Structures are given as structure tokens and as C-alpha cells.
Amino acid sequence: MTEEEKHEARKQRLEQKSAVTMRLSETTRFVAFGIIAWVFAVQSSDAEFSKSYISEYEIWVNAAGVLAIFSIASDYFQYLSAYVSVKHALTRKGEGYQYNKNHPAYLLQLTFFIIKQIAVGLGAVIVALTFTIHVVQH
């Protein structure tokens, strides 16, 4: 593989990484807002099913809501950190405007990206498990 082919392959992988990262962030937001809407609907419903569900799983329902809110907040802070990281990279002319992977904003951007995925994933698992158990039992 020539250097030009390697450069092109790297460029394609970076484009794919960017597209996947963007889709993950969109999906995270979608799922997190869905969980929040679900928590609100279940908590405010007068239906007998919702009342019995909340009486058995209220702490879990609330935990799913808190995790979803935490995920949305992490999403925001990820983008805020990315803004600062890009701003810092633009000051690094001598390094070819490369990111400083040791800069706090760069590290926080990565950290918040991971946190938001874990938080929304846990929230979704809580919703799926508690709801499924409740449906099967009733």
C-alpha cells in the first residue's frame, strides 16, 4: 500500500468515525428524551397498570429518568468540551493544528461521550426490564 493509499484509507476511516459518532449522539438524545417522556407519562397516568407499575418499580423508574437527564447533560458538556478542544487546536499552528490529546477539554470530550452512552444504556435497560417483568406478572 502506497503512502497516498494509506492517507486515503485513513481519511475514509476518520469520515466513518465522524458519521458513527454523530449517529450515536443523535440516538443517545432520542433515547434519553424518550425515557424522560416515558417516565413522565407513567408517573402522571391514572391507569391501573401505571399505578401498579409505579408502586412496584418507582425507584427504578426514577433512576431511569435521572440517568436520561444525566445523559443529556453529558451530551451538552461533551459538545462544550469539543468546542474548547477545537479552539485550543486552532492555536497550535506549529503542530499542524492537531488536537492536544492531553488537554483537559479533549479528555473531557471523550469522557462525556462515554458517560452519555453508559447512562442512556443503563436507563434503557431499566425501562425494558422493569416494564417486561411487570407485563409478564400482570
Side-chain angles (χ1 to χ4, degrees), residues 59-133:
I59 192 160
W60 293 105
V61 170
N62 292 338
V66 168
L67 285 166
I69 291 167
F70 192 64
S71 180
I72 293 167
S74 294
D75 185 57
Y76 171 76
F77 289 121
Q78 177 204 345
Y79 283 97
L80 187 61
S81 298
Y83 170 79
V84 173
S85 183
V86 168
K87 191 173 177 181
H88 176 71
L90 290 172
T91 67
R92 296 170 43 92
K93 184 177 181 181
E95 292 84 6
Y97 301 107
Q98 295 290 315
Y99 288 107
N100 177 356
K101 294 185 178 182
N102 295 317
H103 190 270
Y106 186 88
L107 297 171
L108 283 171
Q109 175 186 352
L110 216 48
T111 302
F112 284 124
F113 180 77
I114 293 166
I115 288 171
K116 75 180 181 182
Q117 303 303 320
I118 292 170
V120 81
L122 288 173
V125 167
I126 289 169
V127 170
L129 285 176
T130 59
F131 193 77
T132 300
I133 292 168

Side-chain angles (χ1 to χ4, degrees), residues 5-110:
E5 290 171 330
K6 288 179 185 177
H7 177 72
E8 185 59 33
R10 183 176 190 281
K11 181 180 171 187
Q12 288 175 357
R13 294 304 83 74
L14 288 172
E15 288 172 1
Q16 288 172 330
K17 179 183 175 187
S18 178
V20 168
T21 301
M22 185 171 49
R23 290 290 301 159
L24 278 170
S25 290
E26 290 171 359
T27 302
T28 296
R29 275 180 236 116
F30 179 75
V31 172
F33 281 116
I35 290 171
I36 291 168
W38 170 83
V39 169
F40 178 78
V42 169
Q43 288 279 21
S44 62
S45 175
D46 287 332
E48 195 56 44
F49 179 85
S50 292
K51 288 179 182 178
S52 66
Y53 177 67
I54 290 298
S55 71
E56 289 182 49
Y57 300 104
E58 184 171 23
I59 192 160
W60 293 105
V61 170
N62 292 338
V66 168
L67 285 166
I69 291 167
F70 192 64
S71 180
I72 293 167
S74 294
D75 185 57
Y76 171 76
F77 289 121
Q78 177 204 345
Y79 283 97
L80 187 61
S81 298
Y83 170 79
V84 173
S85 183
V86 168
K87 191 173 177 181
H88 176 71
L90 290 172
T91 67
R92 296 170 43 92
K93 184 177 181 181
E95 292 84 6
Y97 301 107
Q98 295 290 315
Y99 288 107
N100 177 356
K101 294 185 178 182
N102 295 317
H103 190 270
Y106 186 88
L107 297 171
L108 283 171
Q109 175 186 352
L110 216 48

